Amino acid sequence: MKPARTNLVWRGPVRLFLWFALLSVAVPLFALEVPPLTGRVVDSAHVLPASDVDWLTAALKAHEEKTGNQVAVLIVPSLEGEPLEEYAHRVATSWKLGRRGTDNGVLLLIAVKERRLRIEVGYGLEGTLTDLRSAHIIRDEIVPRFKAGDIPAGVRAGTEAILKTIEGTYEAKNRSTARRGWGYETDALQLVFVGVVVGFLAGMVLSQGLRRTRALFGSVLAYLVAQSAGVTLGVVAAAVTAFLLWLVLRTNRGSWSRGTYDDWTWYSSRGGGWSGGSSDSGFSGGGGDFGGGGASGNW
Amino acid sequence: MDTMRRIAGGMVLVACLSGCGYNDLQGLDEDTKAAWSEVVNQYQRRADLIPNLVATVKGYAAHEKDTLEGVVQARAQATGVQITPELLNDPEAFERYRQAQAGLTSALGRLIAIAENYPNLKADQNFRDLQSQLEGTENRIAVARKRYIDRVAEYNKMVRYFPTNLTAKFLLHLEERPNFAVADEKSVATPPQVKF
């Protein structure tokens, strides 16, 4: 009698647990993973000879240096049941091909097992590499070669046609100006702001102590809040807080002493240096966006 | 002391405004409107393709009158729905618009299906071109709808969650917005397939 009862009590939770365990394994299987962006040509199906990969990479790189357009090629062995269009859009948006704002990226996706392919075009190139032009490239340049069994030749011809079409649409920007400005998301800046407010208020509330201690206390608090967005931003928040506290406390009592000024310049020089200098060798997307433009085909 | 109080007061006020979601709500409000414009834009693009498509099919299959007229009528109905900014805040008008577009989607599906029976039509260069443009547009519609669905879900959450719902209700007078159902999202996401 007793064992039966325990069984009844436990069966529910155990079954639930098993379901969850099963789900957590099953869910990732449904969505095909986006492969890491290891280069301009990602051939996870291993159908391109190394010489072709090198040739394509060189051509795509030269094109980007001239025009700023980011074109990438992805060949997957299978779509594993996912619709081609959805997968292409997912890859293109997570790779963020093209520059942010100009959205000048293109993805050529080929699924070997399904014998399907797609040219996914970023917002900024939809005007030149139209759906129609993409369809023509697929139909006239790529598919005949694929049908003849020569996938490398099809990829080469298709890529060349894409590059020719989008030649002259944009000019490559100077590398220094093309940097993405501050490069921090608004969330990070909000954290800095909150840090400054918290630190400032804390510094004000603390009625005891020297100006120096109060400013220090406030800026340390600001740093603690903002540093989860990065050490540099934490230092910036601390510097701003210290400056504000000094400003207010100075008008409050006493005059601006030489030492405080030196402190402030020390803070600001620490906070002023934005980290930069990403390596040039690795290829990465520039933040471009895709709206579903392009064309699909099969062979 | 006075300056200090003013600065502190200002900071507290700004912190409160961001805390109760004033800025976020305003931003999401604009985002949903922008996402909606993109949806309308892509549907309009599809409607613009239809006269050419119908004319081309007529050249090969003039006696398929019912299907052709069905498309023309569905298009007239879809473009007849007036698109005003209020459409977003009026679930009934939104539903009318959605249904008119869904009607056009199925009428177009029938048109593409009968094309299967006409080898000459399928081989026609003009028809193939229109076909790929139509496919492209359907895909853009799917993307635009998906973006709208995501935006509105975020916006609706903010409008309903506490305490941002107070800001939405009493300060900004924002209401929940209608969204596309996921069920009919599926039917749109798979464009009509034509094998050549």
Side-chain angles (χ1 to χ4, degrees):
Chain A
M1 198 69 188
K2 231 184 180 175
R5 232 187 114 197
T6 359
N7 201 6
L8 237 148
V9 170
W10 281 103
R11 204 186 284 157
V14 164
R15 200 183 279 171
L16 207 67
F17 172 78
L18 282 176
W19 265 112
F20 273 117
L22 195 71
L23 272 178
S24 61
V25 174
V27 165
L29 289 180
F30 281 120
L32 182 53
E33 231 168 277
V34 174
L37 184 58
T38 48
R40 289 176 170 83
V41 180
V42 179
D43 177 18
S44 33
H46 306 293
V47 290
L48 292 182
S51 61
D52 275 306
V53 174
D54 291 345
W55 184 87
L56 284 166
T57 307
L60 296 174
K61 192 169 181 204
H63 181 83
E64 188 188 341
E65 272 159 13
K66 205 161 69 182
T67 64
N69 299 332
Q70 286 190 324
V71 182
V73 179
L74 169 63
I75 308 177
V76 291
S78 162
L79 291 170
E80 285 160 32
E82 187 164 352
L84 174 75
E85 284 79 11
E86 264 171 45
Y87 184 63
H89 189 250
R90 212 149 55 82
V91 172
T93 45
S94 52
W95 281 3
K96 298 184 193 305
L97 299 170
R99 259 205 319 268
R100 189 191 196 129
T102 25
D103 301 322
N104 49 343
V106 178
L107 173 72
L108 172 61
L109 170 70
I110 296 149
V112 176
K113 192 184 139 211
E114 285 81 3
R115 300 173 83 86
R116 298 208 67 202
L117 74 155
R118 176 166 178 83
I119 298 175
E120 186 81 25
V121 184
Y123 274 123
L125 290 171
E126 282 180 357
T128 20
L129 189 58
T130 55
D131 295 0
L132 195 55
R133 179 78 193 119
S134 311
H136 281 166
I137 291 175
I138 290 175
R139 204 186 295 160
D140 303 336
E141 304 288 339
I142 305 179
V143 167
R145 290 178 173 86
F146 278 15
K147 271 192 171 143
D150 195 351
I151 288 185
V155 176
R156 276 202 313 267
T159 310
E160 256 182 307
I162 290 171
L163 295 186
K164 223 169 165 184
T165 309
I166 59 176
E167 195 125 67
T169 41
Y170 294 101
E171 293 251 321
K173 271 194 196 160
N174 198 340
R175 212 146 252 291
S176 55
T177 53
R179 281 213 162 281
R180 58 222 142 98
W182 294 74
Y184 287 99
E185 298 294 322
T186 39
D187 281 354
L189 292 176
Q190 254 168 25
L191 259 175
V192 171
F193 179 75
V194 171
V196 169
V197 170
V198 168
F200 179 81
L201 290 179
M204 295 305 299
V205 166
L206 200 75
S207 57
Q208 303 284 315
L210 291 163
R211 277 174 290 169
R212 201 182 290 257
T213 353
R214 290 168 65 175
L216 196 69
F217 178 70
S219 50
V220 163
L221 249 174
Y223 174 81
L224 287 177
V225 172
Q227 61 93 36
S228 50
V231 174
T232 331
L233 286 178
V235 173
V236 169
V240 171
T241 314
F243 177 68
L244 283 175
L245 280 168
W246 273 116
L247 206 67
V248 172
L249 297 173
R250 179 190 61 124
T251 50
N252 221 356
R253 30 169 141 144
S255 60
W256 184 279
S257 79
R258 191 168 205 89
T260 66
Y261 184 73
D262 286 344
D263 278 354
W264 159 238
T265 45
W266 179 81
Y267 277 126
S268 71
S269 67
R270 281 295 302 278
W274 296 94
S275 64
S278 66
S279 70
D280 211 351
S281 55
F283 174 61
S284 67
D289 198 8
F290 290 74
S296 314
N298 43 328
W299 77 91
Chain B
M1 206 62 187
D2 225 27
T3 347
M4 178 195 91
R5 267 210 197 120
R6 242 175 254 161
I7 293 177
M11 281 186 163
V12 168
L13 192 73
V14 171
C16 273
L17 278 180
S18 54
C20 49
Y22 182 87
N23 278 349
D24 289 343
L25 273 165
Q26 295 282 41
L28 278 173
D29 182 39
E30 277 311 309
D31 285 354
T32 50
K33 279 184 192 156
W36 175 247
S37 306
E38 184 64 14
V39 172
V40 170
N41 191 15
Q42 297 304 343
Y43 273 131
Q44 183 55 45
R45 197 187 153 115
R46 177 172 76 167
D48 292 343
L49 280 173
I50 290 172
N52 264 334
L53 185 71
V54 169
T56 309
V57 175
K58 234 182 206 161
Y60 292 90
H63 56 276
E64 300 276 4
K65 254 200 175 123
D66 289 349
T67 317
L68 284 165
E69 256 163 33
V71 172
V72 172
Q73 261 172 21
R75 178 183 183 270
Q77 219 155 43
T79 49
V81 177
Q82 264 213 326
I83 300 152
T84 56
E86 280 76 52
L87 188 74
L88 267 190
N89 298 320
D90 179 1
E92 269 173 45
F94 181 90
E95 184 56 23
R96 264 203 304 281
Y97 182 78
R98 191 197 66 73
Q99 265 177 5
Q101 295 298 347
L104 184 52
T105 304
S106 64
L108 273 173
R110 279 195 295 278
L111 184 70
I112 298 301
I114 63 157
E116 282 294 297
N117 308 326
Y118 298 87
N120 289 338
L121 172 62
K122 277 204 300 179
D124 183 90
Q125 188 65 35
N126 203 8
F127 178 73
R128 293 178 71 173
D129 286 353
L130 283 165
Q131 174 71 31
S132 36
Q133 280 172 294
L134 185 65
E135 269 175 17
T137 304
E138 295 283 1
N139 191 48
R140 278 166 222 249
I141 291 173
V143 170
R145 281 172 56 121
K146 194 179 171 302
R147 291 205 167 153
Y148 175 76
I149 286 172
D150 292 347
R151 282 282 152 276
V152 169
E154 222 175 301
Y155 166 89
N156 281 348
K157 254 191 246 169
M158 278 288 268
V159 169
R160 290 171 68 168
Y161 279 178
F162 181 84
T164 47
N165 62 344
L166 301 176
T167 317
K169 199 166 178 187
F170 299 112
L171 208 58
L172 296 170
H173 308 290
L174 295 173
E175 277 175 34
E176 250 185 278
R177 288 194 171 140
N179 211 339
F180 293 106
V182 181
D184 73 314
E185 174 62 15
K186 274 260 161 60
S187 64
V188 172
T190 45
Q193 281 295 318
V194 175
K195 290 250 188 315
F196 291 112

